[in-house]
């Protein structure tokens, strides 16, 4: 099974936010341009190379505010 298929089966979805350079420095990433981040509640997983870096810390990941749309 391909790693991307496994990640998706585990409930991860593509992460489209900005990732700080500090995240790549922490993981000693040699090629951040290849990073492909996925997210599920409480976890961020990269599938850009064989290292398959994963963290449960949201530090360095752009936070999205979800807003509820109400009828006025």
């Amino acid at each position: 099974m391909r790693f991307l298929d496994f990640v998706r089966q585990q409930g991860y979805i593509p992460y489209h936010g900005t990732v700080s350079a500090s995240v790549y420095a922490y993981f000693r990433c040699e090629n951040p341009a290849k990073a492909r981040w996925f997210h599920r509640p409480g976890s961020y997983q990269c599938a850009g190379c064989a290292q398959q870096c994963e963290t449960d810390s949201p530090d360095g990941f752009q936070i999205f505010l979800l807003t509820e749309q109400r009828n006025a």
Side-chain angles (χ1 to χ4, degrees):
M1 174 185 300
R2 290 183 31 212
F3 184 66
L4 280 177
D5 294 333
F6 173 76
V7 167
R8 289 183 179 123
Q9 283 183 350
Q10 295 300 308
Y12 285 86
I13 59 172
Y15 176 79
H16 299 292
T18 301
V19 179
S20 170
S22 64
V23 173
Y24 299 111
Y26 175 79
F27 287 116
R28 296 186 178 139
C29 182
E30 294 180 9
N31 198 345
K34 285 188 168 186
R36 292 187 65 195
W37 287 99
F38 290 80
H39 175 261
R40 73 176 182 190
S43 183
Y44 296 88
Q45 174 75 54
C46 185
C49 74
Q51 297 292 42
Q52 301 170 352
C53 298
E54 189 264 335
T55 182
D56 60 356
S57 174
D59 293 345
F61 291 86
Q62 180 181 11
I63 303 296
F64 295 100
L65 297 177
L66 300 177
T67 58
E68 188 176 318
Q69 193 174 36
R70 295 186 176 155
N71 293 334

